[in-house]
Every structure is written in structure tokens, then in C-alpha cells.
Amino acid sequence: GAGVSQTPSNKVTEKGKYVELRCDPISGHTALYWYRQSLGQGPEFLIYFQGTGAADDSGLPNDRFFAVRPEGSVSTLKIQRTERGDSAVYLCASSLVASGPLGAYNEQFFGPGTRLTVL
Amino acid sequence: AQKITQTQPGMFVQEKEAVTLDCTYDTSDQSYGLFWYKQPSSGEMIFLIYQGSYDEQNATEGRYSLNFQKARKSANLVISASQLGDSAMYFCAMWSTDKLIFGTGTRLQVFP
């Protein structure tokens, strides 16, 4: 398909385990974003990539969270030693570039999300 | 700090009526953008409408319009002629320095 895809759609894990969440952006999009949406809340920014590098990781809650995008396309969000508070929907979005001319917005296209449940 | 505030946790509207969803924002940036997204129960985020901080006219997209009042820092969404399929969560968001900041959302329910 032409949209952003995320796998798995659902992930159930036990407290203390390691998980990886994958995002496949729209082909040709150089910017990729991760957001976390807790129950009853709006999405919360975690990190974004422009190409292969993390341009802004200020939203990562602590050092248990890490994300990579080694070839500038697919990205993996990695969570170590999961805690019950990590349970949320993790959303990925991509855009052509992070900013257009004069910092203009480029539309972000969202994937369907991965629902993570930590027991 | 940048912040989006949506003070209406839930709204009800009758089919074919208009409804306004409130959004206020706080930023010290001179250049920013404001958005509304719809999130149905299936979970995907659907882009509805965008307003740039330097745009002089209010944005419109079909039945959606954005009532932008820069001095009051408000960006309310107006949905005209509501339809049953409009029932969903609606999020206001602000774009600044390459990321989106979302509000807590308003759940809109349209009844026949």
C-alpha cells in the first residue's frame, strides 16, 4: 500500500521485557516521527528523524526508549525493561521533509499505530 | 512552553446541525501552524484542516472551517451540517520546530 505501515498492530508483553515496534514510512518521505498516545490523551511527540539521523529526541521519556532509522526509511522504536506505564498506542508518521521553505509545514501522514500492552 | 488546550471533553450535536469545537494555544514562536485531526474508533489520525500563523483568511475544507483568532490565540473548528459519520475524537494540534503538539481531544457524538 501507499500509506505508512506499522507492525505489529498489537503487542502484549510482560513487565521487564524488551520490545521493538516497526514503522515503514511512505516511499520517498525523508522525515519520520514517533508519537505515543496514552488512553484518553492526545498523541505525545517522542522523536523525529530527518534521513538517518535523529533530529530531535527530546520527547523520549527516559533512556529505556531508543529509536533507529539506519537506512533512512524503516524505523524501529525499541523499549527496554518495559513497565506497565509504557502501555499505549505508538503512532508513526512521515512527511516529505520535516520543514519546507521558511520552515513551512509539510503534512504528516500517520500510520494505524501499534497498541502496546505491558502486563 | 508550547501548549494546546481543549476544554470540551465531550460534545453532542444533532445531525445536520453545526458544531464548534474549541481550541486555544500558547506559543512564543512567530511562525507556527494549527491543525485539526479526526480520530475515529479505528484509531487512525485523519488530517482535516490547517491554518498557518501568517494566513490572513480562515481556512476552509468542505464542511470544515477553522475560526482563527490570532490575538486571542484560538483556533476553533466549525463543522457544518454534521453527519453521523462525524462521531469521533477530534484533536487540535500546533506545529512548531518540526513537531506536532496535540491537545487532549474532544469526543464528538452526532445523534439522529
Side-chain angles (χ1 to χ4, degrees):
Chain A
V4 178
S5 62
Q6 292 186 246
T7 54
S9 55
N10 279 284
K11 176 70 177 178
V12 180
T13 190
E14 293 179 344
K15 180 175 178 294
K17 298 290 189 183
Y18 168 82
V19 296
E20 290 189 350
L21 312 179
R22 175 188 167 109
C23 172
D24 204 335
I26 292 172
S27 177
H29 281 194
T30 63
L32 185 146
Y33 305 79
W34 284 99
Y35 295 87
R36 178 170 72 174
Q37 187 174 18
S38 300
L39 191 63
Q41 300 294 316
E44 176 188 22
F45 170 79
L46 296 177
I47 184 172
Y48 96 88
F49 293 85
Q50 180 59 58
T52 60
D56 184 344
D57 64 357
S58 61
L60 294 177
N62 51 59
D63 61 6
R64 296 187 297 106
F65 288 75
F66 189 71
V68 296
R69 196 186 185 199
E71 298 178 355
S73 56
V74 171
S75 175
T76 305
L77 178 66
K78 308 181 181 195
I79 310 174
Q80 299 177 321
R81 303 182 305 280
T82 52
E83 300 177 356
R84 292 194 179 88
D86 299 335
S87 296
V89 175
Y90 289 80
L91 294 166
C92 176
S94 70
S95 65
L96 277 172
V97 292
S99 298
L102 302 177
Y105 169 76
N106 279 284
E107 183 177 349
Q108 295 184 20
F109 296 84
F110 283 81
T114 294
R115 182 175 299 278
L116 175 65
T117 303
V118 181
L119 301 177
Chain B
Q2 295 156 337
K3 188 177 180 181
I4 293 285
T5 301
Q6 294 180 254
T7 58
Q8 305 157 314
M11 289 284 284
F12 288 88
V13 65
Q14 190 167 28
E15 198 177 8
K16 300 180 185 176
E17 297 294 311
V19 62
T20 298
L21 305 184
D22 294 342
C23 172
T24 58
Y25 62 93
D26 190 16
T27 182
S28 56
D29 293 342
Q30 295 301 309
S31 177
Y32 52 90
L34 295 157
F35 303 81
W36 280 90
Y37 283 84
K38 174 183 178 181
Q39 188 176 45
S41 55
S42 52
E44 74 270 31
M45 297 291 285
I46 301 170
F47 167 76
L48 295 178
I49 195 166
Y50 164 74
Q51 177 88 41
S53 58
Y54 291 114
D55 294 341
E56 294 186 352
Q57 296 205 341
N58 287 343
T60 60
E61 290 283 350
R63 294 186 298 110
Y64 304 108
S65 60
L66 198 152
N67 184 1
F68 181 47
Q69 298 188 39
K70 194 170 183 177
R72 296 180 60 186
K73 293 191 173 180
S74 74
N76 298 340
L77 176 71
V78 180
I79 305 175
S80 63
S82 298
Q83 301 172 356
L84 295 177
D86 294 335
S87 295
M89 283 292 291
Y90 287 80
F91 291 97
C92 180
M94 175 168 59
W95 174 83
S96 186
T97 55
D98 297 334
K99 57 180 175 261
L100 287 171
I101 298 165
F102 288 85
T104 52
T106 296
R107 180 171 297 282
L108 176 66
Q109 296 191 56
V110 182
F111 59 94

